[in-house]
PDB file of all heavy atoms in Angstrom:
ATOM      1  N   LEU A 119      -1.775  14.644  -8.070  1.00 96.00           N
ATOM      2  CA  LEU A 119      -0.789  15.408  -7.297  1.00 96.00           C
ATOM      3  C   LEU A 119       0.196  16.170  -8.180  1.00 96.00           C
ATOM      4  O   LEU A 119       1.048  16.894  -7.677  1.00 96.00           O
ATOM      5  CB  LEU A 119      -0.025  14.472  -6.353  1.00 96.00           C
ATOM      6  CG  LEU A 119      -0.852  13.848  -5.231  1.00 96.00           C
ATOM      7  CD1 LEU A 119      -0.027  12.831  -4.455  1.00 96.00           C
ATOM      8  CD2 LEU A 119      -1.384  14.924  -4.294  1.00 96.00           C
ATOM      9  N   GLY A 120       0.093  15.987  -9.490  1.00 97.00           N
ATOM     10  CA  GLY A 120       0.973  16.708 -10.408  1.00 97.00           C
ATOM     11  C   GLY A 120       2.370  16.132 -10.515  1.00 97.00           C
ATOM     12  O   GLY A 120       3.305  16.830 -10.907  1.00 97.00           O
ATOM     13  N   ILE A 121       2.535  14.877 -10.190  1.00 96.00           N
ATOM     14  CA  ILE A 121       3.844  14.239 -10.306  1.00 96.00           C
ATOM     15  C   ILE A 121       4.130  14.008 -11.785  1.00 96.00           C
ATOM     16  O   ILE A 121       3.312  13.404 -12.491  1.00 96.00           O
ATOM     17  CB  ILE A 121       3.886  12.911  -9.520  1.00 96.00           C
ATOM     18  CG1 ILE A 121       3.652  13.184  -8.038  1.00 96.00           C
ATOM     19  CG2 ILE A 121       5.194  12.171  -9.756  1.00 96.00           C
ATOM     20  CD1 ILE A 121       3.466  11.949  -7.178  1.00 96.00           C
ATOM     21  N   PRO A 122       5.263  14.503 -12.294  1.00 96.00           N
ATOM     22  CA  PRO A 122       5.535  14.370 -13.727  1.00 96.00           C
ATOM     23  C   PRO A 122       5.788  12.920 -14.137  1.00 96.00           C
ATOM     24  O   PRO A 122       6.352  12.138 -13.374  1.00 96.00           O
ATOM     25  CB  PRO A 122       6.783  15.223 -13.946  1.00 96.00           C
ATOM     26  CG  PRO A 122       7.392  15.405 -12.613  1.00 96.00           C
ATOM     27  CD  PRO A 122       6.309  15.222 -11.584  1.00 96.00           C
ATOM     28  N   LYS A 123       5.347  12.597 -15.354  1.00 94.00           N
ATOM     29  CA  LYS A 123       5.595  11.266 -15.915  1.00 94.00           C
ATOM     30  C   LYS A 123       6.994  11.225 -16.510  1.00 94.00           C
ATOM     31  O   LYS A 123       7.549  12.258 -16.892  1.00 94.00           O
ATOM     32  CB  LYS A 123       4.569  10.945 -17.000  1.00 94.00           C
ATOM     33  CG  LYS A 123       3.199  10.643 -16.464  1.00 94.00           C
ATOM     34  CD  LYS A 123       2.330  10.100 -17.566  1.00 94.00           C
ATOM     35  CE  LYS A 123       1.239   9.252 -16.953  1.00 94.00           C
ATOM     36  NZ  LYS A 123       0.612   8.404 -17.934  1.00 94.00           N
ATOM     37  N   LEU A 124       7.556  10.028 -16.608  1.00 94.00           N
ATOM     38  CA  LEU A 124       8.833   9.848 -17.286  1.00 94.00           C
ATOM     39  C   LEU A 124       8.640  10.090 -18.769  1.00 94.00           C
ATOM     40  O   LEU A 124       7.595   9.775 -19.330  1.00 94.00           O
ATOM     41  CB  LEU A 124       9.358   8.419 -17.074  1.00 94.00           C
ATOM     42  CG  LEU A 124       9.743   8.035 -15.644  1.00 94.00           C
ATOM     43  CD1 LEU A 124      10.089   6.562 -15.576  1.00 94.00           C
ATOM     44  CD2 LEU A 124      10.915   8.882 -15.180  1.00 94.00           C
ATOM     45  N   SER A 125       9.660  10.604 -19.420  1.00 88.00           N
ATOM     46  CA  SER A 125       9.573  10.823 -20.856  1.00 88.00           C
ATOM     47  C   SER A 125       9.765   9.502 -21.599  1.00 88.00           C
ATOM     48  O   SER A 125      10.310   8.539 -21.052  1.00 88.00           O
ATOM     49  CB  SER A 125      10.636  11.833 -21.288  1.00 88.00           C
ATOM     50  OG  SER A 125      11.919  11.360 -20.949  1.00 88.00           O
ATOM     51  N   GLU A 126       9.309   9.441 -22.846  1.00 78.00           N
ATOM     52  CA  GLU A 126       9.461   8.244 -23.681  1.00 78.00           C
ATOM     53  C   GLU A 126      10.926   7.822 -23.712  1.00 78.00           C
ATOM     54  O   GLU A 126      11.812   8.652 -23.837  1.00 78.00           O
ATOM     55  CB  GLU A 126       9.009   8.537 -25.112  1.00 78.00           C
ATOM     56  CG  GLU A 126       7.530   8.630 -25.283  1.00 78.00           C
ATOM     57  CD  GLU A 126       6.870   7.268 -25.418  1.00 78.00           C
ATOM     58  OE1 GLU A 126       7.494   6.341 -25.948  1.00 78.00           O
ATOM     59  OE2 GLU A 126       5.720   7.156 -24.973  1.00 78.00           O
ATOM     60  N   GLY A 127      11.152   6.532 -23.561  1.00 75.00           N
ATOM     61  CA  GLY A 127      12.508   6.004 -23.641  1.00 75.00           C
ATOM     62  C   GLY A 127      13.330   6.158 -22.377  1.00 75.00           C
ATOM     63  O   GLY A 127      14.464   5.730 -22.312  1.00 75.00           O
ATOM     64  N   ASN A 128      12.767   6.788 -21.342  1.00 70.00           N
ATOM     65  CA  ASN A 128      13.495   6.950 -20.086  1.00 70.00           C
ATOM     66  C   ASN A 128      13.566   5.600 -19.393  1.00 70.00           C
ATOM     67  O   ASN A 128      12.556   4.970 -19.151  1.00 70.00           O
ATOM     68  CB  ASN A 128      12.797   7.975 -19.199  1.00 70.00           C
ATOM     69  CG  ASN A 128      13.588   8.321 -17.967  1.00 70.00           C
ATOM     70  OD1 ASN A 128      14.277   7.480 -17.405  1.00 70.00           O
ATOM     71  ND2 ASN A 128      13.494   9.557 -17.537  1.00 70.00           N
ATOM     72  N   ASP A 129      14.764   5.153 -19.066  1.00 63.00           N
ATOM     73  CA  ASP A 129      14.937   3.838 -18.438  1.00 63.00           C
ATOM     74  C   ASP A 129      15.201   3.953 -16.942  1.00 63.00           C
ATOM     75  O   ASP A 129      15.908   3.157 -16.369  1.00 63.00           O
ATOM     76  CB  ASP A 129      16.050   3.051 -19.128  1.00 63.00           C
ATOM     77  CG  ASP A 129      17.398   3.755 -19.049  1.00 63.00           C
ATOM     78  OD1 ASP A 129      17.446   4.906 -18.584  1.00 63.00           O
ATOM     79  OD2 ASP A 129      18.399   3.142 -19.461  1.00 63.00           O
ATOM     80  N   SER A 130      14.600   4.950 -16.296  1.00 65.00           N
ATOM     81  CA  SER A 130      14.802   5.153 -14.862  1.00 65.00           C
ATOM     82  C   SER A 130      14.052   4.155 -14.004  1.00 65.00           C
ATOM     83  O   SER A 130      14.254   4.096 -12.808  1.00 65.00           O
ATOM     84  CB  SER A 130      14.367   6.564 -14.451  1.00 65.00           C
ATOM     85  OG  SER A 130      15.200   7.507 -15.054  1.00 65.00           O
TER      86      SER A 130
END
Side-chain angles (χ1 to χ4, degrees):
L119 293 174
I121 298 171
K123 287 190 155 196
L124 294 174
S125 59
E126 286 278 329
N128 187 326
D129 61 353
S130 294

